[in-house]
Amino acid sequence: MPPPNVTGRLHMGHAIFVALQDVLARFHRMRGRPTLWTPGTDHAGIATQLQVEKRLIAEGKTREEVGREAFLKLAWEYKEEQGGAITTQLRSLGASADWSRERFTMDDDMTEGVVEAFVRLHEKGLVYRGEYIVNWAPQLKTAVSDLEVDYSEEMGKLYYFKYVLEGSDEFLPVATTRPETIWGDTAVCVHPEDSRFKHLVGKRVKVPTMDRTIPVIADDYVDREFGTGALKITPGHDPNDYTIGKRHELEIVNIMNKDATMNGNVPAQYQNLDRFEARQKIWEDMEATDLAIKAEDHQQRVPRSQRGGEVIEPMVSSQWFVKTKGMGEKALNAVKDGDIKIIPSRFEKVWYNWLEDIHDWCISRQLWWGHRIPVYYINGAEDNFVVARNMEEAKTFAAEKGFPDATLKQEDDVLDTWFSSGLWPFATVGWPQQENAGAQSDLARFYTQPTDACLETGYDILFFWVARMVMMGMELTDKIPFNVVYMHGLVRAADNTKMSKTKGNVIDPLETVDKYGADSLRYSLVTGVTPGQDIPLNMDKIEANRMFGNKLWNIAKFVVDNALKEDKGDAYDSTYGVKGPMTAEEFSKLAVPEKWIVTKCHKLVESVTCDIENYQLGQAGSKVYEFLRDDLADWYLEMSKTRFYPGLGGTDPEVAMASKKVIVYVFDRALRVLHPYMPFVTEALWHQLPRQPPANPSTPHSISLADWPMLEGETLVRDDESEAQFEVFQSLVKSIRNARAEFNVEQGKKIPATIVVAEGMVDMVRDEIASIVLLARMDPEGVTVVGAGSAEAEAARGEADNVQLVGEGGTEIYIPKAGLVDAEKEKARLTKQAEKLDKEIEKLSKRLNGKGFADKAPAEVVDKARQELSDLEAQAEKVREAQMAL
């Protein structure tokens, strides 16, 4: 389970991963496979620290004033106060994870794993300290990851100004959105083929408001069409400029303090100004000295902290990094070689692009809440340190370096939250504690031994979390952490836009569950979508699935309170309880309709099993819906009434019992395949059905622990011939229903018919006359079934007053017109309809022919009126034809 923030609250991103992962967990568990779904929460370094700091600020304090130890005490208290709500909310959605194994990234054993990972990576030479440009959050005073930065489209200014050539009045026009960074410029860059500026390459220009010059350089990175075509290069405060600066060996100048105020590298009059105040001040001064050209409105992408909303400042900072090139190659090849399968496969390209262009990973954060980096500085020297698992080990290592009596101080920074999350697949099952614990340890059973492991998560964290788990797993355990990565899409608003509080289109999952039920929400999130596809969440769909849940209750009520009403007694469970898959012997004794519904049920089980095994979860869920609604409820349950209701033809006890057993069997099977999707309603309804006692009396009786309807190696009985025959039966019923609708036959009117079927179908259809009478509202005394080519068939075909209907498999139905239409009533109805249409035609014609309408009304209004008139005239013509036919 992707660990949500421990102090977070449930949102639709959580709801979809619960729905999908729970389908997989329940499915494999019911298939009889040892299945572990590990739950847990993340300490959420930035989010939690931000909330604790807000509380301190409200009290007029800062974290520096209270000190690290007191701050961490407050943070743990906040975690205990706010934590736990998210896991309760996940459970309310039906998450059947092993909650006895719930983990928290800062549990003692998890922390031990984090420290061990850092130490081992350092021992391998993969961890180092260096300067690099990072996303800096000035309010929090920490670096943040790319994932924790949101870009918003905002209106700002594009400032055009002069970079004057040294010893000349000539200048280079330059444009920037951040003039306060001018003091950090170390070059002006132009395109090498730009004829406007080619002659200036190699010369020097003066930095505005400073007594400093910088070179003009050429690089094909420059976009000649943007701004002026000349680009100021600020390696200390822009990631692209940083890359160019490294390429051209430019000086890197940091002009800001950690709180984004101006530092000592800017002119004295600007020092300690906030960056936005400095922007205004320098522009005013440049206008006063004729260095400003113009400022114009400009739409720009502004990076903001996902947590605090502040504008992120790119800044060069001393941080701890992990070398990722070699680790990235291993992760890349794991997918290329087929060891890891990404579903859908289109995300493999994203995987390759990221890992082929991977940069070293900044893992340090200037926070106090989190895993403190296990680096110990010797006598306060930043360039002299040891990496150790604890202070005692650090003292030993320091002594080995020749500093037996050194004063050791641990690094203040903590590790990036993604570092601990990257260990999740193996640290949660006992790494490193169980590395040598044997084959029966959790680490061996669920990680190191050959096993099937699936990671299901959103495509938006494919690199930030998934790739890092693969890199860390392969580097630290020499094993891929999972062999399948299933990517789900983002849950969006009904109009397919991103959910946003500012737009007011956020759908709260808890409110949705309160109104519609957890099953309805889960089913709506999973069905009808393909892997990796974004999901526009329509409340109409959730309501429809709530109604589907109601239909399931109605089916259960029919089964228990109607079909089995007279059978409850001592032998109830043993007679009707489902023992397992239907045997070939049991199946062979059934009539065609029963064979049909069992065959459809078994094909459903096979198809759903195959789909889920191949991660087509949405497709599988839709198939269950269609089977229960269409095949079982609309067809078989309706016709089954003719088996056990005496008034509808149910007079044979053996036929009645066979039908009841089939109903219970099929509904039981269907509930089991639906259970992973809708666990609550299926659990409740399954307990209403008669059932065999479990083989082990101590086993809790739950559908979640029941066998899947098709276990490994099982073959389910089916009869394609019976299925084909019943489809012919369905087609003749549909044909009669359609004719009733077309001829507007009253609901209660019973009509006669001669049904002509292939010779091999005669007995089957005759056996089901009672069902035809019920389903198509026929006259029981007037329905005749004959074989094709018989004298009766020819007589029906030759009767002029018969209406002929054609169904599948050569089926023909002949219905006397008198049976469909009461001539006098129909004449009266058609006359009334004709009079109404004539009045509407007359009214609309006058309007169209009236003075001024066609000339003055808008063309689209006139066209619409003419189309309406044409439609009315066509309807009137059909009514006249119907009158003549009478």
PDB file of all heavy atoms in Angstrom, residues 736 739-740 745 749-753 776-780 782-783 815 819-820:
ATOM      1  N   ILE A 736     -41.206 -10.710 -30.095  1.00  0.00           N
ATOM      2  CA  ILE A 736     -42.601 -10.490 -29.697  1.00  0.00           C
ATOM      3  C   ILE A 736     -42.717  -9.205 -28.874  1.00  0.00           C
ATOM      4  O   ILE A 736     -43.640  -8.407 -29.065  1.00  0.00           O
ATOM      5  CB  ILE A 736     -43.135 -11.698 -28.911  1.00  0.00           C
ATOM      6  CG1 ILE A 736     -43.111 -12.955 -29.801  1.00  0.00           C
ATOM      7  CG2 ILE A 736     -44.545 -11.433 -28.394  1.00  0.00           C
ATOM      8  CD1 ILE A 736     -43.398 -14.250 -29.065  1.00  0.00           C
ATOM      9  N   ALA A 739     -42.582  -6.270 -31.184  1.00  0.00           N
ATOM     10  CA  ALA A 739     -43.828  -6.108 -31.935  1.00  0.00           C
ATOM     11  C   ALA A 739     -44.899  -5.465 -31.057  1.00  0.00           C
ATOM     12  O   ALA A 739     -45.655  -4.589 -31.509  1.00  0.00           O
ATOM     13  CB  ALA A 739     -44.311  -7.464 -32.446  1.00  0.00           C
ATOM     14  N   ARG A 740     -44.981  -5.864 -29.816  1.00  0.00           N
ATOM     15  CA  ARG A 740     -45.955  -5.257 -28.895  1.00  0.00           C
ATOM     16  C   ARG A 740     -45.704  -3.759 -28.770  1.00  0.00           C
ATOM     17  O   ARG A 740     -46.635  -2.952 -28.778  1.00  0.00           O
ATOM     18  CB  ARG A 740     -45.862  -5.914 -27.515  1.00  0.00           C
ATOM     19  CG  ARG A 740     -46.305  -7.362 -27.447  1.00  0.00           C
ATOM     20  CD  ARG A 740     -46.231  -7.872 -26.010  1.00  0.00           C
ATOM     21  NE  ARG A 740     -47.210  -7.201 -25.169  1.00  0.00           N
ATOM     22  CZ  ARG A 740     -48.349  -7.728 -24.763  1.00  0.00           C
ATOM     23  NH1 ARG A 740     -48.671  -8.971 -25.110  1.00  0.00           N
ATOM     24  NH2 ARG A 740     -49.193  -7.053 -24.013  1.00  0.00           N
ATOM     25  N   VAL A 745     -49.375  -2.281 -28.196  1.00  0.00           N
ATOM     26  CA  VAL A 745     -50.294  -3.214 -27.557  1.00  0.00           C
ATOM     27  C   VAL A 745     -50.377  -2.905 -26.062  1.00  0.00           C
ATOM     28  O   VAL A 745     -49.355  -2.674 -25.411  1.00  0.00           O
ATOM     29  CB  VAL A 745     -49.826  -4.677 -27.772  1.00  0.00           C
ATOM     30  CG1 VAL A 745     -50.783  -5.641 -27.076  1.00  0.00           C
ATOM     31  CG2 VAL A 745     -49.732  -4.979 -29.250  1.00  0.00           C
ATOM     32  N   LYS A 749     -52.764  -6.866 -22.296  1.00  0.00           N
ATOM     33  CA  LYS A 749     -53.380  -7.667 -23.362  1.00  0.00           C
ATOM     34  C   LYS A 749     -52.541  -8.902 -23.667  1.00  0.00           C
ATOM     35  O   LYS A 749     -51.352  -8.812 -23.921  1.00  0.00           O
ATOM     36  CB  LYS A 749     -53.530  -6.816 -24.622  1.00  0.00           C
ATOM     37  CG  LYS A 749     -54.246  -7.539 -25.759  1.00  0.00           C
ATOM     38  CD  LYS A 749     -54.412  -6.614 -26.959  1.00  0.00           C
ATOM     39  CE  LYS A 749     -55.051  -7.339 -28.138  1.00  0.00           C
ATOM     40  NZ  LYS A 749     -56.398  -7.832 -27.843  1.00  0.00           N
ATOM     41  N   LYS A 750     -53.153 -10.080 -23.630  1.00  0.00           N
ATOM     42  CA  LYS A 750     -52.481 -11.336 -23.958  1.00  0.00           C
ATOM     43  C   LYS A 750     -52.702 -11.633 -25.442  1.00  0.00           C
ATOM     44  O   LYS A 750     -53.840 -11.567 -25.933  1.00  0.00           O
ATOM     45  CB  LYS A 750     -53.053 -12.493 -23.125  1.00  0.00           C
ATOM     46  CG  LYS A 750     -53.049 -12.255 -21.620  1.00  0.00           C
ATOM     47  CD  LYS A 750     -51.641 -12.205 -21.053  1.00  0.00           C
ATOM     48  CE  LYS A 750     -51.666 -12.093 -19.537  1.00  0.00           C
ATOM     49  NZ  LYS A 750     -50.301 -12.016 -18.969  1.00  0.00           N
ATOM     50  N   ILE A 751     -51.644 -11.957 -26.157  1.00  0.00           N
ATOM     51  CA  ILE A 751     -51.767 -12.156 -27.595  1.00  0.00           C
ATOM     52  C   ILE A 751     -51.398 -13.591 -27.966  1.00  0.00           C
ATOM     53  O   ILE A 751     -50.557 -14.218 -27.327  1.00  0.00           O
ATOM     54  CB  ILE A 751     -50.885 -11.159 -28.379  1.00  0.00           C
ATOM     55  CG1 ILE A 751     -49.408 -11.335 -28.030  1.00  0.00           C
ATOM     56  CG2 ILE A 751     -51.325  -9.728 -28.120  1.00  0.00           C
ATOM     57  CD1 ILE A 751     -48.474 -10.446 -28.842  1.00  0.00           C
ATOM     58  N   PRO A 752     -52.034 -14.123 -29.028  1.00  0.00           N
ATOM     59  CA  PRO A 752     -51.711 -15.468 -29.496  1.00  0.00           C
ATOM     60  C   PRO A 752     -50.565 -15.421 -30.506  1.00  0.00           C
ATOM     61  O   PRO A 752     -50.207 -14.360 -30.999  1.00  0.00           O
ATOM     62  CB  PRO A 752     -53.012 -15.902 -30.176  1.00  0.00           C
ATOM     63  CG  PRO A 752     -53.565 -14.626 -30.733  1.00  0.00           C
ATOM     64  CD  PRO A 752     -53.181 -13.539 -29.751  1.00  0.00           C
ATOM     65  N   ALA A 753     -49.971 -16.568 -30.808  1.00  0.00           N
ATOM     66  CA  ALA A 753     -48.911 -16.625 -31.814  1.00  0.00           C
ATOM     67  C   ALA A 753     -48.653 -18.061 -32.219  1.00  0.00           C
ATOM     68  O   ALA A 753     -48.844 -18.996 -31.426  1.00  0.00           O
ATOM     69  CB  ALA A 753     -47.630 -16.007 -31.286  1.00  0.00           C
ATOM     70  N   ALA A 776     -43.302 -12.731 -22.574  1.00  0.00           N
ATOM     71  CA  ALA A 776     -43.787 -11.933 -23.700  1.00  0.00           C
ATOM     72  C   ALA A 776     -45.260 -11.572 -23.561  1.00  0.00           C
ATOM     73  O   ALA A 776     -45.839 -10.989 -24.478  1.00  0.00           O
ATOM     74  CB  ALA A 776     -43.550 -12.689 -25.010  1.00  0.00           C
ATOM     75  N   ARG A 777     -45.863 -11.916 -22.401  1.00  0.00           N
ATOM     76  CA  ARG A 777     -47.272 -11.632 -22.119  1.00  0.00           C
ATOM     77  C   ARG A 777     -48.159 -12.174 -23.243  1.00  0.00           C
ATOM     78  O   ARG A 777     -48.860 -11.453 -23.951  1.00  0.00           O
ATOM     79  CB  ARG A 777     -47.486 -10.123 -21.908  1.00  0.00           C
ATOM     80  CG  ARG A 777     -46.754  -9.579 -20.697  1.00  0.00           C
ATOM     81  CD  ARG A 777     -47.165  -8.183 -20.349  1.00  0.00           C
ATOM     82  NE  ARG A 777     -46.874  -7.221 -21.408  1.00  0.00           N
ATOM     83  CZ  ARG A 777     -45.686  -6.679 -21.626  1.00  0.00           C
ATOM     84  NH1 ARG A 777     -44.654  -7.025 -20.844  1.00  0.00           N
ATOM     85  NH2 ARG A 777     -45.504  -5.809 -22.583  1.00  0.00           N
ATOM     86  N   MET A 778     -48.105 -13.495 -23.394  1.00  0.00           N
ATOM     87  CA  MET A 778     -48.849 -14.195 -24.442  1.00  0.00           C
ATOM     88  C   MET A 778     -50.106 -14.852 -23.870  1.00  0.00           C
ATOM     89  O   MET A 778     -50.227 -15.076 -22.651  1.00  0.00           O
ATOM     90  CB  MET A 778     -47.970 -15.273 -25.094  1.00  0.00           C
ATOM     91  CG  MET A 778     -46.631 -14.776 -25.627  1.00  0.00           C
ATOM     92  SD  MET A 778     -46.805 -13.647 -26.998  1.00  0.00           S
ATOM     93  CE  MET A 778     -47.300 -14.786 -28.287  1.00  0.00           C
ATOM     94  N   ASP A 779     -51.000 -15.220 -24.777  1.00  0.00           N
ATOM     95  CA  ASP A 779     -52.207 -15.958 -24.410  1.00  0.00           C
ATOM     96  C   ASP A 779     -51.838 -17.438 -24.290  1.00  0.00           C
ATOM     97  O   ASP A 779     -51.479 -18.077 -25.285  1.00  0.00           O
ATOM     98  CB  ASP A 779     -53.256 -15.761 -25.490  1.00  0.00           C
ATOM     99  CG  ASP A 779     -54.531 -16.549 -25.204  1.00  0.00           C
ATOM    100  OD1 ASP A 779     -54.600 -17.235 -24.156  1.00  0.00           O
ATOM    101  OD2 ASP A 779     -55.443 -16.487 -26.054  1.00  0.00           O
ATOM    102  N   PRO A 780     -51.887 -18.019 -23.085  1.00  0.00           N
ATOM    103  CA  PRO A 780     -51.433 -19.413 -22.920  1.00  0.00           C
ATOM    104  C   PRO A 780     -52.206 -20.403 -23.789  1.00  0.00           C
ATOM    105  O   PRO A 780     -51.672 -21.452 -24.161  1.00  0.00           O
ATOM    106  CB  PRO A 780     -51.647 -19.690 -21.428  1.00  0.00           C
ATOM    107  CG  PRO A 780     -52.624 -18.665 -20.973  1.00  0.00           C
ATOM    108  CD  PRO A 780     -52.401 -17.453 -21.821  1.00  0.00           C
ATOM    109  N   GLY A 782     -53.353 -19.660 -26.758  1.00  0.00           N
ATOM    110  CA  GLY A 782     -53.221 -19.325 -28.167  1.00  0.00           C
ATOM    111  C   GLY A 782     -51.816 -19.451 -28.712  1.00  0.00           C
ATOM    112  O   GLY A 782     -51.522 -18.999 -29.824  1.00  0.00           O
ATOM    113  N   VAL A 783     -50.882 -20.024 -27.928  1.00  0.00           N
ATOM    114  CA  VAL A 783     -49.491 -20.170 -28.373  1.00  0.00           C
ATOM    115  C   VAL A 783     -49.277 -21.587 -28.881  1.00  0.00           C
ATOM    116  O   VAL A 783     -49.530 -22.559 -28.168  1.00  0.00           O
ATOM    117  CB  VAL A 783     -48.498 -19.854 -27.240  1.00  0.00           C
ATOM    118  CG1 VAL A 783     -47.064 -20.092 -27.714  1.00  0.00           C
ATOM    119  CG2 VAL A 783     -48.666 -18.419 -26.771  1.00  0.00           C
ATOM    120  N   ILE A 815     -48.312 -13.640 -35.769  1.00  0.00           N
ATOM    121  CA  ILE A 815     -49.280 -13.120 -34.814  1.00  0.00           C
ATOM    122  C   ILE A 815     -50.446 -12.522 -35.593  1.00  0.00           C
ATOM    123  O   ILE A 815     -50.249 -11.677 -36.470  1.00  0.00           O
ATOM    124  CB  ILE A 815     -48.658 -12.039 -33.912  1.00  0.00           C
ATOM    125  CG1 ILE A 815     -47.405 -12.582 -33.202  1.00  0.00           C
ATOM    126  CG2 ILE A 815     -49.674 -11.526 -32.899  1.00  0.00           C
ATOM    127  CD1 ILE A 815     -46.663 -11.543 -32.397  1.00  0.00           C
ATOM    128  N   GLY A 819     -54.853  -9.845 -32.855  1.00  0.00           N
ATOM    129  CA  GLY A 819     -54.259 -10.050 -31.541  1.00  0.00           C
ATOM    130  C   GLY A 819     -53.405  -8.870 -31.108  1.00  0.00           C
ATOM    131  O   GLY A 819     -53.205  -8.634 -29.924  1.00  0.00           O
ATOM    132  N   LEU A 820     -52.901  -8.141 -32.090  1.00  0.00           N
ATOM    133  CA  LEU A 820     -52.053  -6.999 -31.775  1.00  0.00           C
ATOM    134  C   LEU A 820     -52.846  -5.709 -31.621  1.00  0.00           C
ATOM    135  O   LEU A 820     -52.480  -4.832 -30.849  1.00  0.00           O
ATOM    136  CB  LEU A 820     -50.995  -6.810 -32.884  1.00  0.00           C
ATOM    137  CG  LEU A 820     -49.905  -7.882 -32.964  1.00  0.00           C
ATOM    138  CD1 LEU A 820     -49.071  -7.671 -34.223  1.00  0.00           C
ATOM    139  CD2 LEU A 820     -49.014  -7.844 -31.732  1.00  0.00           C
TER     140      LEU A 820
END
